[in-house]
Amino acid sequence: MNSVFTKHADVNPPSSRRIFLKGNVKKGKKIGLNRTNARTAWVFLTPVFLLLFTFLTLPAINSFRLSVSQWPGLGPLKYVGADNFRKVFSEGKLSHSVFVTFFYSFSVSLLVVAMAAIMASAVSSGIRGGKFMKVVWFFPGIAPPTAVAIFWSTSLQPYTGIVNAILNTIGLGDEFAPLASEETAIYPIILVSVWASVGFAFLVLLGATESIPVSLREAAFIDGANVWQHFTKITLPLIKPVLLTIFTLEFIWHVNGFTMIWAMTQGGPGFATEILPIYAYKEAFVFARFGTAAAISVLVGIFLVILGALSTRLSRSGQLE
Amino acid sequence: MKSQVFRVFANLTAWIWTILAFIPFVFILLFGVKNTTDIMIKPLAIVFKPALDNFSRAWSGGVGSGGFSAWFANSLILVIVALAVSICAAVPAAYFTIFLPKKINEIVRIIIITGTTVPSILLVIPYFKTFNSLGLLNKPIATGIVYGVLAIPTTFLLMNRFFIDFPREVLEAGLVDGLSNVRIFSKLVLPLSVGQIISVGFMTLIWAWGETQIAIVLLNKASAQPIAVGVLSFVGDFSVDYGAIFAGLSLAAFPPLIAYIALSKYVTKGIALGGITK
Amino acid sequence: MQKIFGITRKKVAGISALSLAAGVFIAGSSQTNANAALSSSPVKLVVQFETGSSGQVIWPAVASAFTKKHPNVTIEFATVTNAAKGGSNLQVLIADGAPDIGLVPLNSSVYTNMVAGKQLVDLSTIFETAKLSSRMGPPAVAFKQADGNYYAVPQAVQYYNVLWTNPGAIRASKAVVPSTKKFASIESLIALTNKCKKAGYEGLAIGGNSTFQVSWMLDAMLPTAVSASELDNMFKNFRATTPLTANYTDSGFVKTLTALQTLGKADIYQKGFLGQTPAQAQALFAAGKSCMYLGISGDVGTFIKAATAAGTMNFTPGFATLPGVVAGTSSTLTPFYGTAYGVPQKSKNQDWAIELLKYFSSDEGQTVGTIKAGGAVPISTTIKKANLDLLPPLVKSILDYVKRNPVKSGWTSEVPGSVSQAVINPLIQQMLGGSLTPAEVAQKQQDRILEVRKNGL
């Protein structure tokens, strides 16, 4: 079996492969590959849908109900219509929270994708120690987020934190206290989140980069393209769909992110790092206003659904290159 | 010139990153043997009075708490169940879905992407209420199933992408050999997908290992807590036992790390079998 | 491992039948006649306390003594984390399988909502029949709820706004803490921290990142800027039934906030304080790097004890109190009874749970638990002197000080957290960070009070 696709990878450049595939699909129809497989698909998809419905849709519906009710955590739900939404929109915290959430998720996703792409390209072009790196780079993602948060928030303290201790030895003083001010608190959190997430993105992108047929890579070099052109004109376009998928996934995960920021700043100082999930959490568990918490979460959910749909469309169009 | 710069830049980034990725774990281990004040005040110190009792405190926990010995077992159950559920449910579905008309495949993907967007905080209360009435609270297996289902969307999406790009001629060859559709899947496709499944499985493993929001509510009894929740028991309003926390974190972080090192060969092999993931 | 005290007997059927009967009996009445329902068959009680808190040492001591008196009782422990105790623990306490004694922090929405939802068992027999009210004195008033019943029993008295001082560092900075322990004015506190900073120490170490420490100082200083009647109104005017006579936008409250802002602008805190936890500030102080630390009487039994034992803290701290808002006035220490326990309605052994809580709050129970095991100030004022002498010397000196300088209640301790501390703490953080003015903070607080008056908690 191995010989089938090593031959394939070395001999068939992308353009002809596409034609080959198209032809196969037609052939498939004749052989009946699609019909029975389609039935089997529904056999396996049904439990998936059932499980997702029970564990995700039902609670989501529950949340919709909650978002139009008032509930302090116990007792009956009291219907209040759009009151919670009105309150959330008028209280004045929503726009800031949305901004922080967006800024945080976007920055993290962008940095993760950029770094992972550079690293994947570096490793696949045969950097020294690549094997070691492949293993070590995933480490940050392995520690529980609480652990990471405690470690980094301790390390970023002025005077006594590791980061400052190091800055001091290279002469940059030891008063760097990014977590202490409203303007700067989000940045260390972004960096720590990137630190924890790059490993996974790197692995996936590495897979994508290395799947670019060797012949294509070699051909490019023969044609005289240098590393930079190679990266931008050949690698990048080919891995674009994967890049987009990773970007979207990271974005969605970080919009939903909670543990890391909570453990580092609890949304503070003030409200500087209060992303939407933290805002909702406080509404539910500090102020016992589950209705408002649900309203915020519903807004987040709607936004993410739109985002998810948009990105699927984008990545689909990217594929057809 | 540009390419030189780029190469140097890429190499530099790579090495800096390696240090950044690696060093914190050295420190976590170091902190595990220092006492709390030393951690706060002299973090870089290599000469200090070791506080090995951190580990015994972490292992046995405080009064009423399970200690790392209990937490580790619970985390393990969570992860194994989550992996079993998510892989068994999502992988076959992700494969066979590629044979549906493309439009339908897209719709299925969109529906499932929606699954990743439900904020955990809203799942927590309904889960608690239901589990409570079914007597399933403080049962790591039950929570593991929840984790598994929550991991289905990501598993499905990534495997589906992988299977869509899977070279069809392999499947054709199987048909020619007279294999049934299911056999094609189990005998031809699965062995070649192991690397990818392991990659995706790792995602689930790491997520389940560190998940806190849901665990804190569903597994609040000391004997049922996983590591992510157990570690929090050292955090109080006024005093935080950082020594024990880091000792516990060292114990917590190293098993998955070792597992990854052991399995990374499969992961890289799977990725290196080029020509598949495009 | 969960520690089990007392004798374990396997008469499960007997226990369930008895508990069921007792439960039905108790559920029908709001006041329990404890003695009538107490039985001598085996009973298992589950007691919940916060991990990493003094409850961890106090409860085992109390449980051990209790089970010696009542050998048919077995006590097991359940823990709740710091993060969950004010939030998701509500779900645990109102569900089947709730512990028999649960932690209900007094200024959390868990307590407020369980009382409102009638999910806690009335403890009037403890406060009235067992005379806890009179033994506690005036602070017991706050425990009586609007319906005339009591629902929670405190564990200890914590005095907060204790300015722990490092005598050596202060001497080295050529500064002096007033012998009365009272700073004469804001300026004198600033002057002291300036001297400390010149000598290379941090001034006042504080966990600015926490959800409570920056608002503590408000509690200490507010009584010096408003009249007694205004203060009393502020404790109560979140209820629509109380007329709103003292506004938060009035000068007294704003002046207090301005004083806090002045302190912040004068840089008396350690660098990066808004990003540090109390634990980090404690470590700074214990290692001798700051002149002062804003803490509680309970610190003696926690970080001071731990750091001294580990050899990282090499001095015995002294203490002082914060200045008043206006020069010449001085603030007092602030009492906190907030770590409290109640009996959830869902408990299956309510009568025994009440009996245990009764013991917990009795003079004997307080001596065994809070004093001896926890090193904290007991809630009862009738404890024998000989037993009070068992307190660590530092705590005793605080107690002496409190006797001579009666304490005033703190606003964030008296008013439910969702109306006071949870609102004002982040606002003060913003003010200290420079993005809000005292007037704006006061206005937002006023808005919240008005909203609660209109819509309820």
Side-chain angles (χ1 to χ4, degrees), chain A residues 271-284:
Chain A
F271 303 101
T273 56
E274 193 169 282
I275 58 172
L276 289 164
I278 293 188
Y279 181 21
Y281 178 86
K282 281 189 184 166
E283 282 294 311

mmCIF file with all atom_site columns, all heavy atoms in Angstrom, chain A residues 271-284:
data_model
loop_
_atom_site.group_PDB
_atom_site.id
_atom_site.type_symbol
_atom_site.label_atom_id
_atom_site.label_alt_id
_atom_site.label_comp_id
_atom_site.label_asym_id
_atom_site.label_entity_id
_atom_site.label_seq_id
_atom_site.pdbx_PDB_ins_code
_atom_site.Cartn_x
_atom_site.Cartn_y
_atom_site.Cartn_z
_atom_site.occupancy
_atom_site.B_iso_or_equiv
_atom_site.pdbx_formal_charge
_atom_site.auth_seq_id
_atom_site.auth_comp_id
_atom_site.auth_asym_id
_atom_site.auth_atom_id
_atom_site.pdbx_PDB_model_num
ATOM 1   N N   . PHE A 1 271 ? -11.775 46.287 34.966 1.00 0.00 ? 271 PHE A N   1
ATOM 2   C CA  . PHE A 1 271 ? -12.427 45.383 34.012 1.00 0.00 ? 271 PHE A CA  1
ATOM 3   C C   . PHE A 1 271 ? -11.554 45.190 32.785 1.00 0.00 ? 271 PHE A C   1
ATOM 4   O O   . PHE A 1 271 ? -12.025 44.736 31.748 1.00 0.00 ? 271 PHE A O   1
ATOM 5   C CB  . PHE A 1 271 ? -13.778 45.976 33.565 1.00 0.00 ? 271 PHE A CB  1
ATOM 6   C CG  . PHE A 1 271 ? -14.701 46.264 34.703 1.00 0.00 ? 271 PHE A CG  1
ATOM 7   C CD1 . PHE A 1 271 ? -14.853 47.547 35.177 1.00 0.00 ? 271 PHE A CD1 1
ATOM 8   C CD2 . PHE A 1 271 ? -15.417 45.243 35.298 1.00 0.00 ? 271 PHE A CD2 1
ATOM 9   C CE1 . PHE A 1 271 ? -15.711 47.813 36.247 1.00 0.00 ? 271 PHE A CE1 1
ATOM 10  C CE2 . PHE A 1 271 ? -16.267 45.501 36.354 1.00 0.00 ? 271 PHE A CE2 1
ATOM 11  C CZ  . PHE A 1 271 ? -16.416 46.793 36.832 1.00 0.00 ? 271 PHE A CZ  1
ATOM 12  N N   . ALA A 1 272 ? -10.283 45.506 32.932 1.00 0.00 ? 272 ALA A N   1
ATOM 13  C CA  . ALA A 1 272 ? -9.413  45.582 31.761 1.00 0.00 ? 272 ALA A CA  1
ATOM 14  C C   . ALA A 1 272 ? -9.325  44.304 30.960 1.00 0.00 ? 272 ALA A C   1
ATOM 15  O O   . ALA A 1 272 ? -9.167  44.326 29.757 1.00 0.00 ? 272 ALA A O   1
ATOM 16  C CB  . ALA A 1 272 ? -8.016  46.019 32.197 1.00 0.00 ? 272 ALA A CB  1
ATOM 17  N N   . THR A 1 273 ? -9.377  43.150 31.620 1.00 0.00 ? 273 THR A N   1
ATOM 18  C CA  . THR A 1 273 ? -9.236  41.914 30.869 1.00 0.00 ? 273 THR A CA  1
ATOM 19  C C   . THR A 1 273 ? -10.507 41.075 30.964 1.00 0.00 ? 273 THR A C   1
ATOM 20  O O   . THR A 1 273 ? -10.478 39.854 30.846 1.00 0.00 ? 273 THR A O   1
ATOM 21  C CB  . THR A 1 273 ? -8.053  41.084 31.404 1.00 0.00 ? 273 THR A CB  1
ATOM 22  O OG1 . THR A 1 273 ? -8.254  40.857 32.795 1.00 0.00 ? 273 THR A OG1 1
ATOM 23  C CG2 . THR A 1 273 ? -6.754  41.809 31.180 1.00 0.00 ? 273 THR A CG2 1
ATOM 24  N N   . GLU A 1 274 ? -11.631 41.734 31.178 1.00 0.00 ? 274 GLU A N   1
ATOM 25  C CA  . GLU A 1 274 ? -12.866 40.988 31.370 1.00 0.00 ? 274 GLU A CA  1
ATOM 26  C C   . GLU A 1 274 ? -13.472 40.625 30.026 1.00 0.00 ? 274 GLU A C   1
ATOM 27  O O   . GLU A 1 274 ? -14.307 41.344 29.482 1.00 0.00 ? 274 GLU A O   1
ATOM 28  C CB  . GLU A 1 274 ? -13.851 41.814 32.191 1.00 0.00 ? 274 GLU A CB  1
ATOM 29  C CG  . GLU A 1 274 ? -15.023 40.994 32.698 1.00 0.00 ? 274 GLU A CG  1
ATOM 30  C CD  . GLU A 1 274 ? -15.850 41.749 33.721 1.00 0.00 ? 274 GLU A CD  1
ATOM 31  O OE1 . GLU A 1 274 ? -15.411 41.822 34.872 1.00 0.00 ? 274 GLU A OE1 1
ATOM 32  O OE2 . GLU A 1 274 ? -16.917 42.263 33.360 1.00 0.00 ? 274 GLU A OE2 1
ATOM 33  N N   . ILE A 1 275 ? -13.058 39.468 29.537 1.00 0.00 ? 275 ILE A N   1
ATOM 34  C CA  . ILE A 1 275 ? -13.639 39.032 28.273 1.00 0.00 ? 275 ILE A CA  1
ATOM 35  C C   . ILE A 1 275 ? -15.054 38.527 28.542 1.00 0.00 ? 275 ILE A C   1
ATOM 36  O O   . ILE A 1 275 ? -15.442 38.307 29.688 1.00 0.00 ? 275 ILE A O   1
ATOM 37  C CB  . ILE A 1 275 ? -12.792 37.925 27.612 1.00 0.00 ? 275 ILE A CB  1
ATOM 38  C CG1 . ILE A 1 275 ? -12.657 36.723 28.540 1.00 0.00 ? 275 ILE A CG1 1
ATOM 39  C CG2 . ILE A 1 275 ? -11.440 38.456 27.222 1.00 0.00 ? 275 ILE A CG2 1
ATOM 40  C CD1 . ILE A 1 275 ? -12.004 35.536 27.854 1.00 0.00 ? 275 ILE A CD1 1
ATOM 41  N N   . LEU A 1 276 ? -15.800 38.327 27.480 1.00 0.00 ? 276 LEU A N   1
ATOM 42  C CA  . LEU A 1 276 ? -17.215 38.003 27.624 1.00 0.00 ? 276 LEU A CA  1
ATOM 43  C C   . LEU A 1 276 ? -17.508 36.796 28.525 1.00 0.00 ? 276 LEU A C   1
ATOM 44  O O   . LEU A 1 276 ? -18.403 36.868 29.363 1.00 0.00 ? 276 LEU A O   1
ATOM 45  C CB  . LEU A 1 276 ? -17.863 37.814 26.244 1.00 0.00 ? 276 LEU A CB  1
ATOM 46  C CG  . LEU A 1 276 ? -18.013 39.126 25.474 1.00 0.00 ? 276 LEU A CG  1
ATOM 47  C CD1 . LEU A 1 276 ? -18.271 38.877 24.001 1.00 0.00 ? 276 LEU A CD1 1
ATOM 48  C CD2 . LEU A 1 276 ? -19.127 39.955 26.066 1.00 0.00 ? 276 LEU A CD2 1
ATOM 49  N N   . PRO A 1 277 ? -16.769 35.697 28.402 1.00 0.00 ? 277 PRO A N   1
ATOM 50  C CA  . PRO A 1 277 ? -17.060 34.578 29.313 1.00 0.00 ? 277 PRO A CA  1
ATOM 51  C C   . PRO A 1 277 ? -16.860 34.941 30.775 1.00 0.00 ? 277 PRO A C   1
ATOM 52  O O   . PRO A 1 277 ? -17.581 34.448 31.646 1.00 0.00 ? 277 PRO A O   1
ATOM 53  C CB  . PRO A 1 277 ? -16.061 33.498 28.884 1.00 0.00 ? 277 PRO A CB  1
ATOM 54  C CG  . PRO A 1 277 ? -15.745 33.818 27.477 1.00 0.00 ? 277 PRO A CG  1
ATOM 55  C CD  . PRO A 1 277 ? -15.792 35.304 27.382 1.00 0.00 ? 277 PRO A CD  1
ATOM 56  N N   . ILE A 1 278 ? -15.875 35.802 31.057 1.00 0.00 ? 278 ILE A N   1
ATOM 57  C CA  . ILE A 1 278 ? -15.665 36.200 32.443 1.00 0.00 ? 278 ILE A CA  1
ATOM 58  C C   . ILE A 1 278 ? -16.793 37.122 32.893 1.00 0.00 ? 278 ILE A C   1
ATOM 59  O O   . ILE A 1 278 ? -17.283 37.028 34.022 1.00 0.00 ? 278 ILE A O   1
ATOM 60  C CB  . ILE A 1 278 ? -14.292 36.884 32.622 1.00 0.00 ? 278 ILE A CB  1
ATOM 61  C CG1 . ILE A 1 278 ? -13.193 35.855 32.394 1.00 0.00 ? 278 ILE A CG1 1
ATOM 62  C CG2 . ILE A 1 278 ? -14.166 37.519 33.991 1.00 0.00 ? 278 ILE A CG2 1
ATOM 63  C CD1 . ILE A 1 278 ? -11.811 36.344 32.715 1.00 0.00 ? 278 ILE A CD1 1
ATOM 64  N N   . TYR A 1 279 ? -17.201 38.015 32.028 1.00 0.00 ? 279 TYR A N   1
ATOM 65  C CA  . TYR A 1 279 ? -18.330 38.901 32.310 1.00 0.00 ? 279 TYR A CA  1
ATOM 66  C C   . TYR A 1 279 ? -19.553 38.041 32.642 1.00 0.00 ? 279 TYR A C   1
ATOM 67  O O   . TYR A 1 279 ? -20.232 38.263 33.652 1.00 0.00 ? 279 TYR A O   1
ATOM 68  C CB  . TYR A 1 279 ? -18.569 39.769 31.071 1.00 0.00 ? 279 TYR A CB  1
ATOM 69  C CG  . TYR A 1 279 ? -19.678 40.786 31.155 1.00 0.00 ? 279 TYR A CG  1
ATOM 70  C CD1 . TYR A 1 279 ? -20.178 41.249 32.361 1.00 0.00 ? 279 TYR A CD1 1
ATOM 71  C CD2 . TYR A 1 279 ? -20.233 41.318 29.985 1.00 0.00 ? 279 TYR A CD2 1
ATOM 72  C CE1 . TYR A 1 279 ? -21.197 42.188 32.410 1.00 0.00 ? 279 TYR A CE1 1
ATOM 73  C CE2 . TYR A 1 279 ? -21.237 42.259 30.022 1.00 0.00 ? 279 TYR A CE2 1
ATOM 74  C CZ  . TYR A 1 279 ? -21.721 42.686 31.231 1.00 0.00 ? 279 TYR A CZ  1
ATOM 75  O OH  . TYR A 1 279 ? -22.731 43.614 31.256 1.00 0.00 ? 279 TYR A OH  1
ATOM 76  N N   . ALA A 1 280 ? -19.817 37.030 31.813 1.00 0.00 ? 280 ALA A N   1
ATOM 77  C CA  . ALA A 1 280 ? -20.968 36.165 32.050 1.00 0.00 ? 280 ALA A CA  1
ATOM 78  C C   . ALA A 1 280 ? -20.815 35.386 33.347 1.00 0.00 ? 280 ALA A C   1
ATOM 79  O O   . ALA A 1 280 ? -21.754 35.252 34.127 1.00 0.00 ? 280 ALA A O   1
ATOM 80  C CB  . ALA A 1 280 ? -21.161 35.212 30.873 1.00 0.00 ? 280 ALA A CB  1
ATOM 81  N N   . TYR A 1 281 ? -19.617 34.871 33.583 1.00 0.00 ? 281 TYR A N   1
ATOM 82  C CA  . TYR A 1 281 ? -19.373 34.098 34.796 1.00 0.00 ? 281 TYR A CA  1
ATOM 83  C C   . TYR A 1 281 ? -19.657 34.930 36.033 1.00 0.00 ? 281 TYR A C   1
ATOM 84  O O   . TYR A 1 281 ? -20.312 34.477 36.970 1.00 0.00 ? 281 TYR A O   1
ATOM 85  C CB  . TYR A 1 281 ? -17.926 33.611 34.811 1.00 0.00 ? 281 TYR A CB  1
ATOM 86  C CG  . TYR A 1 281 ? -17.554 32.836 36.053 1.00 0.00 ? 281 TYR A CG  1
ATOM 87  C CD1 . TYR A 1 281 ? -17.794 31.461 36.134 1.00 0.00 ? 281 TYR A CD1 1
ATOM 88  C CD2 . TYR A 1 281 ? -16.973 33.459 37.149 1.00 0.00 ? 281 TYR A CD2 1
ATOM 89  C CE1 . TYR A 1 281 ? -17.465 30.746 37.265 1.00 0.00 ? 281 TYR A CE1 1
ATOM 90  C CE2 . TYR A 1 281 ? -16.645 32.740 38.284 1.00 0.00 ? 281 TYR A CE2 1
ATOM 91  C CZ  . TYR A 1 281 ? -16.883 31.390 38.336 1.00 0.00 ? 281 TYR A CZ  1
ATOM 92  O OH  . TYR A 1 281 ? -16.557 30.684 39.460 1.00 0.00 ? 281 TYR A OH  1
ATOM 93  N N   . LYS A 1 282 ? -19.170 36.181 36.040 1.00 0.00 ? 282 LYS A N   1
ATOM 94  C CA  . LYS A 1 282 ? -19.403 37.031 37.206 1.00 0.00 ? 282 LYS A CA  1
ATOM 95  C C   . LYS A 1 282 ? -20.873 37.315 37.386 1.00 0.00 ? 282 LYS A C   1
ATOM 96  O O   . LYS A 1 282 ? -21.391 37.316 38.502 1.00 0.00 ? 282 LYS A O   1
ATOM 97  C CB  . LYS A 1 282 ? -18.628 38.342 37.060 1.00 0.00 ? 282 LYS A CB  1
ATOM 98  C CG  . LYS A 1 282 ? -17.163 38.210 37.382 1.00 0.00 ? 282 LYS A CG  1
ATOM 99  C CD  . LYS A 1 282 ? -16.500 39.574 37.430 1.00 0.00 ? 282 LYS A CD  1
ATOM 100 C CE  . LYS A 1 282 ? -15.011 39.433 37.648 1.00 0.00 ? 282 LYS A CE  1
ATOM 101 N NZ  . LYS A 1 282 ? -14.309 40.686 37.382 1.00 0.00 ? 282 LYS A NZ  1
ATOM 102 N N   . GLU A 1 283 ? -21.563 37.572 36.270 1.00 0.00 ? 283 GLU A N   1
ATOM 103 C CA  . GLU A 1 283 ? -23.006 37.808 36.361 1.00 0.00 ? 283 GLU A CA  1
ATOM 104 C C   . GLU A 1 283 ? -23.704 36.632 37.023 1.00 0.00 ? 283 GLU A C   1
ATOM 105 O O   . GLU A 1 283 ? -24.582 36.794 37.857 1.00 0.00 ? 283 GLU A O   1
ATOM 106 C CB  . GLU A 1 283 ? -23.604 38.018 34.959 1.00 0.00 ? 283 GLU A CB  1
ATOM 107 C CG  . GLU A 1 283 ? -23.375 39.392 34.381 1.00 0.00 ? 283 GLU A CG  1
ATOM 108 C CD  . GLU A 1 283 ? -24.101 40.476 35.154 1.00 0.00 ? 283 GLU A CD  1
ATOM 109 O OE1 . GLU A 1 283 ? -25.310 40.329 35.422 1.00 0.00 ? 283 GLU A OE1 1
ATOM 110 O OE2 . GLU A 1 283 ? -23.452 41.481 35.508 1.00 0.00 ? 283 GLU A OE2 1
ATOM 111 N N   . ALA A 1 284 ? -23.272 35.413 36.662 1.00 0.00 ? 284 ALA A N   1
ATOM 112 C CA  . ALA A 1 284 ? -23.945 34.226 37.188 1.00 0.00 ? 284 ALA A CA  1
ATOM 113 C C   . ALA A 1 284 ? -23.532 33.924 38.613 1.00 0.00 ? 284 ALA A C   1
ATOM 114 O O   . ALA A 1 284 ? -24.357 33.684 39.476 1.00 0.00 ? 284 ALA A O   1
ATOM 115 C CB  . ALA A 1 284 ? -23.651 33.027 36.292 1.00 0.00 ? 284 ALA A CB  1
#
